[in-house]
Amino acid sequence: MSMGDRYIIPESAGDEWVRPQPVDELVVDAVLENTDYDEDDLDSLSSYVDIEALVELFDDDTDATDLSFSVEDHEVTVHHTGDVDVHAQS
């Protein structure tokens, strides 16, 4: 299954209507919202994380609850719930 087949609505959306997003778009959007980077500043997501591992995070039969990786000077954690945390590395 490819990333394009995985659309996610983060649990943190609650009752608010949010359109489902492809997992790669969800991660990149979170990085852009929480950093001073522009999309042109970043390499493709596959440069930062194993795409298969990211997609598998959302499989129903996985035991994984989150996946962390670095994007430039930020730590990104993608949760099985679809939430994405982005924090500057110390």
Side-chain angles (χ1 to χ4, degrees):
M1 181 165 289
S2 72
M3 246 186 327
D5 295 334
R6 291 291 182 162
Y7 284 77
I8 307 298
I9 297 177
E11 283 186 7
S12 63
D15 293 334
E16 175 184 343
W17 187 87
V18 178
R19 75 173 175 83
Q21 287 183 280
V23 65
D24 57 335
E25 185 179 305
L26 183 76
V27 173
V28 170
D29 285 353
V31 171
L32 296 176
E33 288 172 11
N34 291 284
T35 67
D36 292 331
Y37 294 118
D38 292 321
E39 195 165 354
D40 294 337
D41 296 330
L42 303 175
D43 294 328
S44 70
L45 190 58
S46 62
S47 299
Y48 305 108
V49 64
D50 178 343
I51 297 302
E52 283 186 40
L54 184 58
V55 171
E56 288 173 3
L57 180 63
F58 299 101
D59 285 346
D60 290 334
D61 60 349
T62 186
D63 291 331
T65 58
D66 61 339
L67 178 66
S68 295
F69 53 95
S70 294
V71 173
E72 303 304 328
D73 57 352
H74 287 77
E75 183 74 13
V76 177
T77 302
V78 181
H79 301 275
H80 179 72
T81 61
D83 295 317
V84 181
D85 298 323
V86 180
H87 300 284
Q89 293 176 338
S90 312

